[in-house]
Amino acid sequence: MRTAVPAVPQYIIWRDERKISNRNTPPTTQTQTQIAHKKYNTRNMKFITTNFVKCAVKTCDSSVDAFPLQYSDCQIVQEELEYNPEFIVHMLERLEWNAVVKVARDLGNESLPPVKPEGLDPIMEDDQVILRDLHTLLVETQIVEGKMVCRNCEHIYFIKNSIPNFLLPPHLC
Amino acid sequence: MGVPSLPSEAVAPPKDHEQQWVHDVYNEIAPHFSLTRYKPWPIVEKFLGEQIDHSIGLDVGCGNGKYLGVNKKLYMIGSDRSLGLIDCAQSNSGNLFSLCVADGLHLPHENGRFDFAISIAVIHHFSTEERRIDAIRHILSKIRVGGRLLVYCWALEQEKSRRGYKEGDAQDVLVPWVLQKKTKKSLKGADEADEKSEKEEKKVEQETKYRYYHLYREGELIDNAVKAGGVVVEHGYEKDNWWAIIERV
Ligand SMILES: C[S@@+](CC[C@H](N)C(=O)[O-])C[C@H]1O[C@@H](n2cnc3c(N)ncnc32)[C@H](O)[C@@H]1O
Ligand SMILES: [Zn+2]
């Protein structure tokens, strides 16, 4: 879907100028309606989700390699969603930044800062730019299809139709 | 009134029993079931409303996701064993929360990472006491020390309900779900519908699916919670269910 790694901006995996608009924007043609409803209106595997899921295998519980999972063969979309700077500021406090950096790298962005941006204030103009970018990265960037691999046990989990599936085969549970 | 429940005698290993009498059934009835689930129960709503703004939490066995958007100041991850119901949740979501398919005994989350959790009408689908206690212990392990988990389980004591279970009845039961597939069939187009398929349609219409439940008697949920290593800070009875708020210590 996407090949080259953009140099700028820092936080964004890639900027899709044709961002998919959400359901509040009335679609203009019949075909677009179909796309909006069938394909693009209901994505839930946001980038942010990757920061809260790990390998489900019991024996991987104590391994540092079970989180984050390694993302490969991913198809990504960007969907325009309501920007809520408060949410980003508070979520940032709870994110494992190393995992954010790792997953972004899996998806093709090597340019995230190694240290978590701290103390961002939605009132400050410079911070606003960063918060916007973080919103695009964490919330608007969504994985539609792909694989998640545990770096410890190498089990592969699949994302289909933007739903990550962590059910284990019988021999692993 | 209606189709009676049957006693459930688990002959298969617990996992197979649950696959057949819980997971397969939810996947089959998902769209229909989802339509019946939209009204939040008051205690659940209150619990979610009480969480500190911007807390992060889990909804284990979230079904069609009806609790995920109740408090917009929270970030929640909903998981369920049924792909069919997670699909429904995804369509309902308007994209506000995160979802995944996962088993309540094998959650794909780091231990101690979350502030709170809910598991509403889910634990009663595990078919042995050991697995029910394990499930509570497992969910507790995902929240931080001091974090709280709200659990709801169907009560044995529900004499006033239309099912009329009461003290002394069997606790492991198969509860009927009458599927109405009629509309789906008739959508297929009238020209296809010869007499034979009309008969088929009637058959499908009457199809009854059974789900396995363990009906909790008074005090049992608290007992399970303590065995799971939690501390019960509040508990009660609401709408044919026993509920408990369990703190991780
Ligand atoms: C009665 S529904 C409740 C759904 C939702 N919590 C609600 O209150 O509307 C029970 C749910 O538990 C889920 N479930 C059953 N066994 C499960 C398991 N082992 N792990 C995760 N979810 C499970 C079912 O798929 C179903 O969605
Ligand atoms: Zn693993």
Side-chain angles (χ1 to χ4, degrees):
Chain A
M1 222 181 145
R2 163 194 46 78
T3 44
V5 179
V8 278
Q10 264 185 318
Y11 291 94
I12 295 181
I13 290 182
W14 96 105
R15 196 184 283 280
D16 187 349
E17 297 303 344
R18 305 155 303 141
K19 236 185 236 181
I20 300 147
S21 54
N22 65 20
R23 73 176 77 199
N24 300 330
T25 323
T28 46
T29 68
Q30 193 61 35
T31 356
Q32 270 182 334
T33 315
Q34 256 190 3
I35 291 171
H37 286 283
K38 268 202 178 147
K39 298 190 79 182
Y40 297 130
N41 232 341
T42 50
R43 307 276 177 212
N44 278 284
M45 182 77 183
K46 301 175 189 59
F47 186 97
I48 197 173
T49 313
T50 67
N51 211 262
F52 295 97
V53 293
K54 68 180 252 302
C55 182
V57 176
K58 281 259 141 67
T59 48
C60 286
D61 251 6
S62 52
S63 164
V64 291
D65 294 323
F67 173 80
L69 295 164
Q70 184 165 20
Y71 292 75
S72 68
D73 301 329
C74 287
Q75 188 194 329
I76 308 172
V77 297
Q78 249 169 48
E79 180 183 27
E80 203 175 302
L81 286 170
E82 195 189 338
Y83 171 52
N84 180 348
E86 285 272 288
F87 174 78
I88 303 294
V89 168
H90 286 96
M91 281 313 292
L92 206 49
E93 285 169 26
R94 308 297 296 270
L95 292 181
E96 298 279 347
W97 190 254
N98 286 340
V100 173
V101 175
K102 270 192 189 168
V103 177
R105 195 180 300 144
D106 289 348
L107 299 179
N109 180 353
E110 313 250 346
S111 62
L112 250 61
V115 180
K116 193 197 295 200
E118 304 261 10
L120 295 176
D121 186 342
I123 296 177
M124 308 298 289
E125 218 166 279
D126 286 354
D127 290 359
Q128 273 174 23
V129 177
I130 301 176
L131 285 169
R132 265 273 171 200
D133 282 358
L134 282 169
H135 168 73
T136 301
L137 172 69
L138 298 171
V139 183
E140 297 190 322
T141 302
Q142 298 159 15
I143 306 174
V144 186
E145 306 278 326
K147 287 182 195 160
M148 307 172 282
V149 188
C150 173
R151 289 181 172 88
N152 187 51
C153 73
E154 295 177 353
H155 186 68
I156 302 174
Y157 301 92
F158 290 90
I159 302 161
K160 289 202 178 107
N161 186 26
S162 211
I163 298 172
N165 192 324
F166 293 96
L167 293 186
L168 297 167
H171 69 278
L172 287 177
C173 61
Chain B
M1 189 163 51
V3 187
S5 309
L6 305 172
S8 161
E9 279 160 47
V11 277
K15 273 188 225 169
D16 300 347
H17 187 74
E18 291 159 22
Q19 185 64 46
Q20 181 184 356
W21 296 105
V22 181
H23 312 317
D24 289 350
V25 184
Y26 273 111
N27 275 329
E28 266 180 273
I29 68 175
H32 183 219
F33 179 81
S34 176
L35 290 176
T36 67
R37 298 280 152 153
Y38 48 89
K39 223 180 154 196
W41 283 333
I43 303 273
V44 185
E45 207 169 8
K46 178 165 169 279
F47 179 80
L48 292 173
E50 281 166 1
Q51 302 306 312
I52 298 168
D53 284 0
H54 310 291
S55 295
I56 56 180
L58 296 174
D59 183 352
V60 178
C62 67
N64 70 350
K66 75 172 185 199
Y67 289 116
L68 297 171
V70 166
N71 180 347
K72 302 264 188 300
K73 297 257 173 162
L74 306 175
Y75 173 67
M76 292 180 71
I77 298 195
S79 59
D80 200 282
R81 186 78 170 61
S82 160
L83 176 61
L85 279 165
I86 287 290
D87 259 331
C88 295
Q90 174 149 257
S91 322
N92 293 343
S93 78
N95 222 333
L96 294 166
F97 34 77
S98 295
L99 297 166
C100 63
V101 177
D103 189 285
L105 279 173
H106 303 271
L107 293 169
H109 312 296
E110 288 176 290
N111 291 343
R113 184 87 189 271
F114 299 86
D115 300 308
F116 69 94
I118 61 173
S119 189
I120 310 302
V122 180
I123 308 279
H124 54 212
H125 286 311
F126 289 101
S127 60
T128 67
E129 175 164 63
E130 192 189 357
R131 286 168 69 76
R132 292 187 286 272
I133 294 170
D134 280 351
I136 296 175
R137 185 185 297 115
H138 187 61
I139 302 172
L140 280 176
S141 76
K142 302 299 169 192
I143 59 181
R144 62 175 166 78
V145 171
R148 290 177 174 190
L149 160 67
L150 172 63
V151 174
Y152 262 69
C153 289
W154 233 14
L156 177 64
E157 301 83 354
Q158 41 177 304
E159 269 175 90
K160 274 177 252 146
S161 90
R162 75 189 161 95
R163 303 201 191 271
Y165 304 125
K166 57 184 187 310
E167 205 186 328
D169 284 357
Q171 282 183 263
D172 294 286
V173 293
L174 296 176
V175 178
W177 180 274
V178 182
L179 251 191
Q180 286 146 14
K181 279 185 176 168
K182 198 175 128 198
T183 41
K184 211 176 172 184
K185 274 255 165 173
S186 43
L187 270 177
K188 269 199 162 179
D191 35 24
E192 281 177 36
D194 55 20
E195 221 176 300
K196 192 171 150 246
S197 66
E198 247 170 57
K199 261 182 212 145
E200 264 170 27
E201 181 184 298
K202 276 201 184 122
K203 245 191 244 162
V204 179
E205 202 185 328
Q206 284 167 2
E207 198 175 1
T208 301
K209 298 277 168 194
Y210 287 90
R211 279 171 302 162
Y212 165 83
Y213 277 82
H214 174 80
L215 302 173
Y216 272 72
R217 52 183 161 67
E218 184 169 10
E220 189 174 353
L221 179 56
I222 296 168
D223 180 69
N224 281 186
V226 170
K227 284 186 178 138
V231 167
V232 176
V233 290
E234 234 184 293
H235 61 89
Y237 180 90
E238 181 187 51
K239 298 188 189 294
D240 305 329
N241 284 270
W242 294 110
W243 60 268
I245 296 176
I246 309 163
E247 192 166 295
R248 176 158 181 218
V249 287

